[in-house]
Amino acid sequence: MSELLHSRIQKKFSSFIDLKNDYASVSDVVPDIPEYIQKNLRYNLRPYQAGALRQFIYTQRSDVADVSYNHLLFHMATGSGKTLVLAATILYFFQEHGHRNFIFFADSDAIVKKTKDNLIYESSSKYLFARNGIEINGESIQIQTVTNFPISPVDNTIYIKITTIQKLHEDLERPKENELTYEDLKQYSVVMLADEAHHYFSKTKSGKRNLSKSEIKVQSWEETINNILKQSFANRLIGFSATFNLKNDLLFEKLKDKIVYQYDLKRFMQHGYSKNVVLLRANEDDNQKMLYAMLLSQYRKYIARSHDIELKPIILFKSNKIATSKAANTQFFNMVDQLDVIHLEREIAHGLAVNQNSSSIWNKMFHYYRQQNLADVIRDLQWDFTEETTINANSQGFLEEQNALRLNTLEEPNNPIRTIFAVAKLNEGWDVLNLFDIVRISEGASNTKATTDSEAQLIGRGARYYPYDYEGESSFIRRFDEEPSDLKVIEALHYHTINENNYINNLEKSLEAANIEVKKDEYNRLPARVKPNIKRADWFQNGKIYINKVIPTTSEDYKGLADYNISQAFETELERSVEQKFGSGEETISSRKRHEQQLNIDKRLLQKAIQCNKFYHFNNLKQYVPSIASMKEFMESENFLGGISIWVSLPSSLSVDELSPVQKLKIVEKFLSYTAKNIRSNYMKMKGTPIFEGISMPQLIDDYVVELSKVTTSTEIVKNRNMRDHDWYVYDQAIVNNLESDFIDFINDYMDELKETYEDVYLIRNERKVKIIEIDGTRGFMPDFLLYMKDADYTYQVFLEPKGDHLLLQDQWKEEFLQSLSKRKDIEVLSENEKVRLLGIKFFAETPERKAAFREDFMDKVIKEH
């Protein structure tokens, strides 16, 4: 959104929207999200999601909510977790306002199926409520899907009708037995939840009197929704979309007082919650472009694996015509089948010849392959890219149950899909995190603005970040924007374009209109050098940086599944497809009555499931479970698989004994997949101790270079700040973002006072060299800055960390660790000739309150104490 339009919205929106986009200030109005909301969601709310809920709750607490705030819209970026906010609003309406009846609607069957996974099916990997069930005030709350709402509802039950807008409109306009009617709607209040809500304002945004048949149909949906809303003052309409066209004057006037929260894609990407989007212009023909994309996808997989990260990257081959897509699919299989070492060697040599920039992803990729055994590479390619690992989304009846399930579980380890060929079926309602390459098939390609607008929408969906565990930590934001790392490749979505000027111009305009930040496959290199006089100084040449010693973890640290945070009582729900085979798949109240039974796991079943998962090959397993001497011990020991119990939730009409061996095997495989993931992510080879030892300062503090992708639309700037005239800063340049620059200003403001207290004062940027590990734990981090100070009695090493507000919650443990350095009695600093004190200061954060807390802590520990 342009700054002009943003300003226009700010001026026009009503009083509660004055808080829009400021999820810190709204906390003064609604200080806390009700505890039962977060407790009953599967995932922690991110700061912007919490901000959205606070503003929404503020409106519903108003005395005029029934009139002024009965229709609200969340305008939030693709991938920002709108559906989690939707789930939270259900809990809020149920608990705070007594709403029992909800209607969710969308304009496609795909979104309907996805939403059932999100809200209904507890066994789905996409399920958003708490896995152990919804509980409020000690009462268990059930969610039931219905076709009509019951006249006599059951206590502690939420009823949801999940349907398409087309069917909802048809049912209300042509009443049928057992379907919802306007007469029914007069009897009770309902909350409507509209996904992709931008579709439902056709009448408003057209402003035309003479409409086409399709426009009339969509316009009638808008009228149907308004008619439902008018049935009761207590009714609510809550819409969710990433693409309201607020540049349309008619639509703007209608929505200006309805958008309760706005978090556009531009801010979402700037805050690091997305992949970086990189455009790769390709002069090659489609065959070579598909080959390069496949090699890049496999390169991602190899790089991830080298860092103990399990990744199954997806490629989407995008065409304009079904015939073109099908032909490309056939060409792709032929290309993979015919690949040989000589051909691949020739492609690598060619790729290096035309991509000589060392920062280019192609240069890095081809250099990597040049060092590999190409026969092994080809074997892997021909195993990973086959008909069995490919979906063609253009076939008739494609979105039937099996394909819909495979599309919505692409991140699952047991989902084999690596490639998708599509035209236009996946632009909306498709949630996928491990899509890393979109390849534009050029034959028959259209260069119109409508085409590139559609592609920009698809790119926005593909930009969703893939969270992964690295060095014992999970993250939902990018980690490597400002440092050289081969892991940048799994934090980027590459869009392989055609190199045609008109098309590129239209695509760049479409991406800019969609607020998608775009990066090119090239980097600015910003160098920072230790000042020459610093390098010569005695304090630097003979000084030390103190970091805590680490010791190897031993088999004693990993004696059972509990040491990997794995519960031996595993709960799961029977797959919906299995329930349907037993006649229990109808979405009625009676079918939602469930019971839990323990699955008897005999040895043969367990052995078969283990054989199907490569992680459990003993040579591999032993690396992560050092305490076991044999596979037999792992399977039979009470501390490991011998002590597990698997409890299956299934309809009350079905017994676990009725399941077939194949169905039982799938349940055990699911448990083993869950267990393997947790073993891999929780196993650490080293742990921290309270003993800090010195390492030569020149060994850790040296010249460095920050590689920054060239950004075309970003307003979040990382820049080099000239520090040559600041004798207290070790480097000639400070390569920092805005918050870090503010932090340097803070230190500068107190520098005269510090120099009056200490003989030496120097601020050191820690560029990924100094790492401290939590004591008796395995998590570690690298504080952004070190303050070196010396007086007559002590040498001080102060750890300092500027921290964006969106990271405060997940990094709270780091702040607690820093604070503990001056409190723990067991910390020992091994120093030869001087007394050393270690200090950690609270985070320097963005809000005035947090900055004040930092200032107070800094003054108490660094200045007042002297």
Side-chain angles (χ1 to χ4, degrees), residues 470-489:
Y470 177 63
E471 294 188 340
E473 293 186 47
S474 297
S475 177
F476 290 87
I477 63 171
R478 296 189 303 272
R479 310 176 196 225
F480 298 107
D481 279 1
E482 298 172 21
E483 64 174 290
S485 172
D486 55 6
L487 284 174
K488 285 184 178 183
V489 75

Side-chain angles (χ1 to χ4, degrees), residues 41 85 121-122 163 185 212 220 309 384 386 410 534 637 669 679 730 763 821:
L41 294 176
V85 176
Y121 302 127
E122 296 176 22
T163 184
L185 290 170
S212 67
S220 65
I309 299 166
D384 282 5
T386 66
L410 285 170
I534 297 288
S637 168
E669 286 177 341
I679 289 176
V730 166
L763 184 64
L821 293 177

Side-chain angles (χ1 to χ4, degrees), residues 16-284:
F16 79 88
I17 289 297
D18 289 340
L19 299 168
K20 184 173 71 68
N21 289 339
D22 185 0
Y23 46 76
S25 61
V26 76
S27 61
D28 296 334
V29 181
V30 183
D32 296 304
I33 304 295
E35 183 179 356
Y36 66 83
I37 290 182
Q38 183 60 83
K39 177 183 175 184
N40 287 294
L41 294 176
R42 182 178 177 186
Y43 302 106
N44 289 330
L45 291 165
R46 297 173 181 175
Y48 61 85
Q49 293 169 330
L53 282 173
R54 287 192 179 101
Q55 293 184 196
F56 162 74
I57 291 171
Y58 172 60
T59 66
Q60 298 310 295
R61 290 180 178 176
S62 167
D63 293 336
V64 295
D66 288 348
V67 176
S68 298
Y69 305 133
N70 63 340
H71 181 190
L72 296 174
L73 302 168
F74 290 91
H75 191 194
M76 298 174 68
T78 296
S80 61
K82 296 186 291 295
T83 313
L84 189 68
V85 176
L86 183 152
T89 63
I90 293 174
L91 295 172
Y92 175 78
F93 274 128
F94 173 78
Q95 178 62 17
E96 304 292 338
H97 298 277
H99 280 285
R100 297 172 176 269
N101 304 315
F102 296 81
I103 302 175
F104 173 94
F105 56 85
D107 77 327
S108 77
D109 288 326
I111 298 178
V112 166
K113 290 175 180 177
K114 178 198 75 171
T115 303
K116 290 178 181 178
D117 283 336
N118 291 150
L119 304 180
I120 306 300
Y121 302 127
E122 296 176 22
S123 62
S124 169
S125 61
K126 306 286 186 179
Y127 188 66
L128 294 177
F129 292 113
R131 284 294 197 188
N132 55 354
I134 299 173
E135 183 180 300
I136 301 177
N137 295 334
E139 299 285 342
S140 177
I141 310 300
Q142 303 298 316
I143 295 183
Q144 304 283 358
T145 54
V146 295
T147 55
N148 201 347
F149 299 113
I151 297 175
S152 301
V154 177
D155 288 342
N156 297 329
T157 302
I158 297 171
Y159 299 98
I160 302 183
K161 179 180 177 69
I162 300 178
T163 184
T164 61
I165 182 60
Q166 297 92 324
K167 188 174 189 315
L168 180 63
H169 170 74
E170 181 71 19
D171 290 344
L172 291 172
E173 294 301 316
R174 297 177 176 80
K176 301 174 186 176
E177 187 176 358
N178 297 325
E179 293 289 352
L180 192 66
T181 67
Y182 282 118
E183 288 300 313
D184 296 327
L185 290 170
K186 292 177 181 178
Q187 301 178 54
Y188 30 64
S189 61
V190 297
V191 175
M192 289 180 284
L193 304 167
D195 199 14
E196 303 292 352
H198 56 279
H199 287 298
Y200 311 129
F201 298 103
S202 177
K203 179 180 179 181
T204 299
K205 64 188 178 186
S206 69
K208 295 189 297 185
R209 295 184 178 179
N210 298 318
L211 303 176
S212 67
K213 288 183 179 180
S214 61
E215 288 174 325
I216 291 172
K217 181 175 69 173
V218 177
Q219 176 177 305
S220 65
W221 298 348
E222 187 175 355
E223 292 175 351
T224 295
I225 295 166
N226 288 333
N227 286 338
I228 297 174
L229 188 61
K230 293 174 184 176
Q231 298 299 310
S232 169
F233 279 114
N235 284 358
R236 294 289 187 270
L237 171 58
I238 312 297
F240 300 82
S241 178
T243 51
F244 293 120
N245 180 14
L246 299 178
K247 293 180 181 179
N248 180 302
D249 288 338
L250 294 173
L251 195 59
F252 176 84
E253 286 301 317
K254 177 159 186 171
L255 303 188
K256 66 183 181 182
D257 58 354
K258 293 180 172 58
I259 296 182
V260 67
Y261 191 76
Q262 181 163 300
Y263 190 70
D264 62 26
L265 191 58
K266 191 171 187 176
R267 296 179 68 228
F268 180 68
M269 298 184 81
Q270 287 171 355
H271 288 168
Y273 288 108
S274 73
K275 302 184 187 86
N276 282 316
V277 175
V278 182
L279 296 187
L280 298 175
R281 292 196 184 198
N283 293 314
E284 296 82 5

Side-chain angles (χ1 to χ4, degrees), residues 312-342:
K312 179 176 66 71
I314 304 294
I315 311 172
L316 173 63
F317 295 105
K318 180 74 165 64
S319 305
N320 273 67
K321 298 177 181 179
I322 290 178
T324 302
S325 181
K326 289 183 175 180
N329 193 348
T330 300
Q331 291 168 15
F332 178 75
F333 289 145
N334 290 338
M335 178 263 294
V336 175
D337 288 341
Q338 295 169 13
L339 196 58
D340 57 39
V341 171
I342 294 176

